Amino acid sequence: MKYGYFDDAAKEYVVTNPKTPVKWINYVGGLSFGGFVDHTGGALVCKGDPALNRILKYIPQMPSSDFKGESAYIRFKENGTYKVFSPYFVPTLDKYDLFECHVGLGYSKFVSEFYGIRTEITVFVPAGESRVIRDIKITNKSGKEIEIDYIPVVEYTHFDALKQFTNADWVPQTMQSKAHKESDGKLVLSQCAFMMKGTAENYFTSNHPVSSFESDRKTFLGDNEYGTWKAPLSLFNDELSNYEALRGDNIGALLHHLGKFSNGETKRIITQLSQTPSVEKDMPNIKKFRDAANVDAAFDALKIFWDEYLSILQVKTPDPNMNSMVNIHNPRQCYMTKNWSRDLSLYQLGFGGRGLGFRDSSQDVMGMLSNDPAGGKDLIEKLLHVQKRDGSAMHQFFPSTMEATVGDSHEFPDRPHFYGDDHLWIILAVNAYIKETGDMDFLKTEIPFYEKDADKKPLEKATVLEHLKRAIKFTWENKGKHGLPLLGFADWNDTVNLRTGAESNFVAPQFGKALLEMIDMMEALGDSAAVSEYKKYYNEMKETVNKETWDGEWYLRYFDCDGSKLGSKDNKYGSIYVNAQSWNIMAGFADKDRAVTAMESVRKHLNTSNGIKLSAPGYNGYDRNLGGVSTYPPGAKENGGIFLHTNPWAMISETIIGNGDRAYEYYNQINPAFKNEKIDEFEAEPYCYPQNILGNEHPQFGLGRNSWLSGTSSWTYQAATKYILGILPTYKGLEINPCIPKNWEGFSAVRKYRGAVYEIEVKNPSKVCKGVKSMTVDGKNVEGNIVPLFKEGTHKVEVILG
C-alpha cells in the first residue's frame, strides 16, 4: 500500500492514509519547549528535560488507535442526538472522505473531511515561545446549515515522566487543575502537580468563549472510565461538568459552541498549550496569540527561518529522490538530531534522562554546521565542557545542568569507564566548524575541563586547541598489546563490551582520521613542530594497523584482552565488520589494493538490497563476554542488522576509491524516499532516516525502526554533499571533487559559503565517476579544484570532469 507522497514544492511529505504501519512523527519547537506530533494528531510536549518536565502523556507502546497526549472532537446534532468524530481520525476512527497530514518544516498540518465538515489544523511552536499553537479552520461543506461544537482535549502527565508509571499512589494525589474564567467567556484551564504551583503551571486555552470544560479523565470518559476515548460519554451531554480536578488523571477539555455554519462558511479557532510560573503574569502572551494576525505572523516567520536554513545548499541532480532528501528532509533531520540528540522520539522515550551523548552530538553537529554555524559552535563549546583533563570525555551530559555521566559503563565496575572513541569525535567537529567558517580564533577560546573541586569550580581550563591536543594524547598513551588504541568500555559500537585491555580497530583509524584533521589545522596555524609530531603518530599507527589487523581480505575489528580476534575470517560469528574496512580507508591507512579488496569483501559478505549490514554472520546466542550485541537475534540492530549509521562511511570509502556508481548505489539503498513504494515492508517514515533496518538473517528483512534521532542523518548528508557531490569545505576554501555515477551528465548546486554564493555547474562529458579535468570561476581558469575565497557576491563555478 502507499500511504503518502512527497510535495517538494511545499517542502512537505503528505500522509494520505492514516493507517500507517507504525506512528509517523514530526518535531515542533525544540528542547527548550516542544516535542513531537504524530500523523494522527497525538502529541508529546515537554519544557526542557523530557524526563523532568514533561507536559503531555504519550505512551508509544499502546495501540495506534488510542488517544495519545492530545486530540480534538467535533460534534453536531443528527436525528436528535450528537454525532461525534475526531478530525484527526484517531481516536474515533470514523470513515473519512479526505485525510491529509502535511509533515512540514517545524509544523504539521492536518486536512480532513468527515460528514461534510472540512477541518484544517496547523500545529507549530512559534520561535522563542513556550507554547504549542493549534490553528483550526472548520468549513461546512455539507450543503446545508449545520451547528458545530469543537472540543479540543489534552491529557497531562506528571512532570517527572517516569514516576507517572512507577508510582500510582503519590502521582495522582499531586495532580490538580484550576479554571481561570474571563469576563468575555474565554477560559484558561491550568494544571500542575501540587509542588509546582507558582513554578511550572501548564495551561490550555483558546481564543473563543468556552461554554464548559472538563479536567478529570474519569468524568470525561464517563461510566467510571468504561466510556472510551473513541466515544467519550460526556460528549453526548449538552455540557461538560466544569469540574476542577483535585487529584487523579488530569485532562483539559474545552467545549466551544461555534454556532451555526451556513453552507461554505469557515470559522477559525486557535488553541494554546503552554507552561508558565503564573497564568496571570502570562496573560499578555496568551492574548497575543489569541490574535489570528499574530499567529499568522509567527507561522510566516517559521517558514522564513526554514527557507533561509535550507538555502545554504540546494542541488539539482538527475535523481529527484536525492534532490528531495538533500534539499529538504535530510538537513531538517540534521537540525532535529542536533537539537534532540537521542533524548526524545517515538523510540527514545526520554524517561531515564539520557541527556546528550558526547559521541552522538559531536557527529550530529557536523551535519548542520553549514546551515547554522553559530548554533553548532554553541553545542561544540558545551561538549568541550565535559571533556576531562586527561583528554578523554564523559559519555553523556545534561545541557540544563552540565552534569555528566560515564554512560552504561557505571553498571560494570570491573570494566573501563571511558569509551575509546568519544573524545576523538570532537576533533572532527571542531575542524568541520573552522573549515566552514574560517573562525581560527575559536581555537584560542578558553573552556574548562569537566573535573571540579569541592566547591564545584573547574580544576583547570584550557584553549580549544589544547582540548584537541589532549584528546590526541589520550589515545596515543592508551594503547594495547598490539599497539592499537584500547577499546575502553566500548567504541562507536557500544554493544560490544569486551574485557579490560581489549583493542579497537575502529578507534585506530578514527585516531588516524583525527590526526589528518589536526595536521591540516596545524599547517593552517603554521605549527611545523606539531605537524611533524602528528605525522609521526599517524605513520606509526598506519604501520601497526596494516601489520596487525589485515586478515587477508579485510581488516579484523577487535583484539580481546587475551589476544583473540573478533571480525576475523577465523571467527564463526561476527567474522567481518564494515567499520574496520570503511574507516581504514577514510583514514588513509589502507593502500589502493587493500581498500579495493576490503570494499569488495563488504559487498560480498555484508551488502543487501536494503543496505549494508554492520557485521556478519550474526551471533546466535547470548555471550556475556561480548555484551549487548549478543542480546539481539541475528539480523537485528548491531548483531548483523543494517545499522544505517555505518552505511555513509561505506559510501565515503567508495568515493575515495573512485567508485561513484557503487557509492550512489549504497546511497539509494538506504534513502527512505525510495522506500515510499514499499512501506508495508519498511514501515518507518519515508521522509527521515531510521537508525536500523532488519538484515537478511532476520525473517522481517527490510523493516525499519528507531527513526529520526540517528547519526545516520548527519553522516548521510555529509556523504551525499561532501563526497558524492564533492562540495567540501577546507581550510583553503571550497573544494569541488565529485564522485558521481558514470551515467550522470552532471549536476548543479548553489552553495553559500563564508559570505559568498557559489553557483556550481558540474559537467561530465567523458562519463567518468571522478576526476576534475578543469575548473573556471567567473569565467577564469583556476588551477586545481579549490574555489578561491570570496567575502561576498555571487560567483559562477564550472567544473568539467574527465
Side-chain angles (χ1 to χ4, degrees), residues 499-518:
R499 293 164 290 182
T500 301
E503 297 164 83
S504 166
N505 197 22
F506 178 92
V507 179
Q510 184 197 21
F511 179 61
K513 178 63 175 172
L515 284 167
L516 291 178
E517 295 292 334
M518 291 299 290

Side-chain angles (χ1 to χ4, degrees), residues 89-359:
F89 181 67
V90 169
T92 59
L93 310 181
D94 289 65
K95 187 179 186 323
Y96 55 86
D97 296 310
L98 173 70
F99 177 89
E100 293 177 350
C101 172
H102 297 247
V103 180
L105 300 170
Y107 70 92
S108 287
K109 181 179 179 181
F110 300 86
V111 182
S112 65
E113 292 183 11
F114 296 82
Y115 309 109
I117 298 173
R118 178 184 177 91
T119 311
E120 298 180 19
I121 305 172
T122 304
V123 185
F124 72 103
V125 173
E129 289 288 334
S130 296
R131 68 194 66 246
V132 179
I133 298 292
R134 296 211 179 199
D135 184 4
I136 304 111
K137 298 174 183 175
I138 301 173
T139 303
N140 177 16
K141 297 183 66 178
S142 68
K144 59 184 180 182
E145 185 178 80
I146 190 170
E147 193 168 343
I148 296 174
D149 294 337
Y150 184 75
I151 310 98
V153 185
V154 297
E155 182 177 16
Y156 295 106
T157 184
H158 194 267
F159 65 87
D160 188 329
L162 190 57
K163 279 193 173 67
Q164 175 69 51
F165 301 101
T166 60
N167 195 328
D169 174 28
W170 176 67
V171 166
Q173 303 287 8
T174 69
M175 303 287 272
Q176 297 188 336
S177 295
K178 180 181 179 181
H180 306 258
K181 298 179 181 179
E182 301 171 53
S183 59
D184 58 359
K186 297 184 182 73
L187 180 140
V188 179
L189 187 57
S190 67
Q191 186 279 335
C192 66
F194 180 74
M195 68 286 286
M196 301 306 287
K197 277 187 175 181
T199 303
E201 298 183 11
N202 308 313
Y203 67 79
F204 194 43
T205 188
S206 73
N207 66 340
H208 194 281
V210 172
S211 174
S212 56
F213 66 89
E214 185 55 70
S215 62
D216 178 68
R217 188 182 72 186
K218 183 177 180 180
T219 306
F220 182 72
L221 298 181
D223 198 16
N224 289 326
E225 286 196 300
Y226 287 91
T228 66
W229 287 111
K230 181 177 171 64
L233 296 180
S234 64
L235 294 185
F236 294 90
N237 300 326
D238 289 337
E239 297 294 342
L240 301 177
S241 76
N242 290 328
Y243 175 61
E244 295 175 290
L246 300 176
R247 64 170 308 283
D249 294 297
N250 284 198
I251 67 167
L254 307 177
L255 174 55
H256 304 89
H257 296 307
L258 300 184
K260 294 180 179 178
F261 286 62
S262 59
N263 187 46
E265 184 178 0
T266 298
K267 295 184 181 182
R268 185 177 183 183
I269 181 171
I270 297 164
T271 66
Q272 302 177 48
L273 173 70
S274 184
Q275 185 185 92
T276 180
S278 166
V279 169
E280 287 73 20
K281 290 181 180 178
D282 209 36
M283 282 306 298
N285 291 319
I286 291 172
K287 290 178 179 178
K288 175 182 176 181
F289 286 98
R290 282 174 172 171
D291 186 334
N294 290 328
V295 170
D296 291 340
F299 187 68
D300 289 343
L302 181 67
K303 286 202 162 190
I304 290 168
F305 165 81
W306 279 105
D307 286 345
E308 286 294 317
Y309 187 89
L310 297 178
S311 71
I312 300 301
L313 175 64
Q314 290 288 290
V315 307
K316 186 176 182 181
T317 77
D319 180 355
N321 285 320
M322 187 178 199
N323 297 342
S324 184
M325 290 306 295
V326 169
N327 291 336
I328 304 168
H329 302 286
N330 199 171
R332 181 261 302 274
Q333 188 178 357
C334 289
Y335 178 86
M336 297 305 172
T337 55
K338 177 261 180 183
N339 281 346
W340 292 96
S341 187
R342 310 295 177 269
D343 216 12
L344 183 68
S345 75
L346 205 62
Y347 306 92
Q348 309 281 358
L349 302 182
F351 288 136
R354 185 182 188 276
L356 304 188
F358 193 96
R359 165 202 300 148

